[in-house]
């Protein structure tokens, strides 16, 4: 009998609905995608819920095989090994208070944030264009929820979050609902599982992950996972 292969991967613990610790266990879109991809080729996955900054640090040093959810940017390109393609693409929207001035047609872009206080989450990547722009005034917090609350307190003018992320946050925190609006967007970015360059299992598991993702994208499993979560976030 063939020996079952097992891999331990870090799961970000606080970016719902992509990956978060809920009732003591990892839950979310990428939790299901990563588990399904490895399962499709007979690899058992054990997920460890850890804060994102620690997850990426442990992957970089080789304590973990891999970590998700990561945006592949020039700032971290050489620190990790990357799958052939992202699990899917998402887009950060630019959020402001509901009574903020209406931006010009087409909405705000990264260059419009220069000189403005923008609330961001510590350790997150927001795409190469945003991350590489040193003229943006970043107000750093530990959670996306805190970013929106900074806007309410007047300590930031904008924050960044994907649509599904914000809608589910507003469902979980009803006092935030209806108090913000989308005023622009960043370029679309890929969501990756980043693999270690130092862990002894990394090369094998990266190849296995790529193969598993091909399978679940071809057989409709990945699409079904996304659709189930989109319905959960629907108004």
């Amino acid at each position: 009998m063939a020996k079952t292969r097992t891999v331990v991967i870090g799961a970000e613990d606080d970016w719902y609905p992509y990956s978060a610790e809920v009732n003591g266990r990892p839950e979310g879109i990428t939790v299901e995608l990563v588990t399904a991809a490895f399962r499709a080729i007979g690899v058992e996955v054990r997920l460890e819920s850890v804060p994102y900054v620690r997850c990426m640090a442990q992957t970089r040093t080789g304590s973990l095989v891999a970590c998700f959810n990561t945006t592949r940017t020039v700032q971290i390109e050489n620190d990790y090994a990357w799958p052939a393609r992202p699990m899917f693409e998402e887009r950060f929207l630019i959020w402001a208070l509901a009574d903020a001035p209406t931006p010009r047609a087409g909405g705000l872009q990264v260059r419009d944030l220069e000189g403005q206080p923008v609330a961001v989450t510590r350790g997150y990547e927001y795409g190469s264009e945003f991350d590489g722009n040193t003229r943006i005034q970043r107000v750093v917090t530990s959670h996306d929820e805190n970013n929106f609350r900074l806007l309410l307190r007047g300590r930031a003018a904008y924050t960044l979050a994907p649509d599904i992320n914000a809608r589910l946050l507003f469902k979980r925190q009803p006092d935030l609902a209806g108090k913000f609006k989308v005023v622009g967007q960043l370029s679309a970015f890929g969501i990756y599982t980043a693999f270690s360059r130092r862990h002894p299992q990394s090369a094998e598991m990266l190849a296995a992950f790529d193969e598993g993702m091909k399978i679940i994208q071809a057989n409709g499993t990945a699409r079904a996972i996304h659709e189930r979560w989109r319905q959960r976030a629907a108004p």
Side-chain angles (χ1 to χ4, degrees):
M1 179 180 296
K3 183 179 180 180
T4 301
R5 292 184 293 172
T6 303
V7 63
V8 179
I9 289 180
E12 180 180 3
D13 69 352
D14 191 30
W15 202 36
Y16 197 78
Y18 303 96
S19 175
E21 185 173 346
V22 180
N23 297 322
R25 59 186 299 176
E27 180 179 302
I29 297 169
T30 41
V31 169
E32 295 186 22
L33 287 172
V34 170
T35 301
F38 278 113
R39 184 177 295 153
I41 52 166
V43 175
E44 180 182 336
V45 181
R46 191 168 85 245
L47 297 175
E48 292 189 358
S49 289
V50 289
Y52 181 71
V53 173
R54 187 195 310 167
C55 186
M56 291 296 284
Q58 291 181 336
T59 300
R60 187 175 61 250
T61 60
S63 299
L64 286 171
V65 175
C67 175
F68 56 84
N69 310 287
T70 305
T71 305
R72 187 174 182 175
T73 68
V74 295
Q75 288 79 14
I76 64 170
E77 173 73 26
N78 295 326
D79 293 333
Y80 303 93
W82 301 94
R85 57 190 61 82
M87 293 178 285
F88 56 94
E89 287 198 339
E90 190 53 277
R91 186 186 298 274
F92 276 108
L93 304 180
I94 303 171
W95 297 81
L97 290 174
D99 60 359
T102 300
R104 67 177 184 277
L108 302 182
Q109 298 177 359
V110 170
R111 64 179 179 274
D112 300 308
L113 303 179
E114 294 176 359
Q116 299 294 323
V118 180
V120 297
T121 302
R122 182 176 294 107
Y124 280 13
E125 297 87 28
Y126 291 91
S128 296
E129 184 182 10
F130 181 90
D131 291 351
N133 192 322
T134 59
R135 292 184 291 276
I136 297 170
Q137 179 185 339
R138 292 161 175 79
V139 184
V140 182
T141 81
S142 57
H143 304 284
D144 281 358
E145 178 184 338
N146 295 344
N147 296 339
F148 282 98
R149 295 195 183 280
L150 283 185
L151 268 66
L152 290 176
R153 295 198 292 268
R155 293 180 55 195
Y158 305 103
T159 191
L160 309 172
D163 179 58
I164 189 172
N165 176 281
R167 281 192 281 127
L168 283 170
L169 172 62
F170 300 157
K171 279 191 171 183
R172 300 196 329 271
Q173 303 293 338
D175 64 306
L176 295 176
K179 296 182 178 178
F180 307 94
K181 66 181 179 182
V182 175
V183 294
Q185 61 185 9
L186 307 189
S187 300
F189 60 93
I191 295 289
Y192 283 86
T193 295
F195 283 75
S196 177
R197 290 184 177 273
R198 299 184 179 184
H199 195 285
Q201 274 189 298
S202 182
E204 175 192 3
M205 290 303 162
L206 174 52
F209 180 73
D210 272 339
E211 185 61 29
M213 284 301 300
K214 285 183 184 178
I215 293 171
I216 68 170
Q217 287 169 347
N219 66 18
T221 298
R223 183 170 58 253
I225 290 170
H226 283 285
E227 182 58 29
R228 184 165 61 252
W229 281 95
R230 293 289 175 187
Q231 289 178 2
R232 186 179 297 190

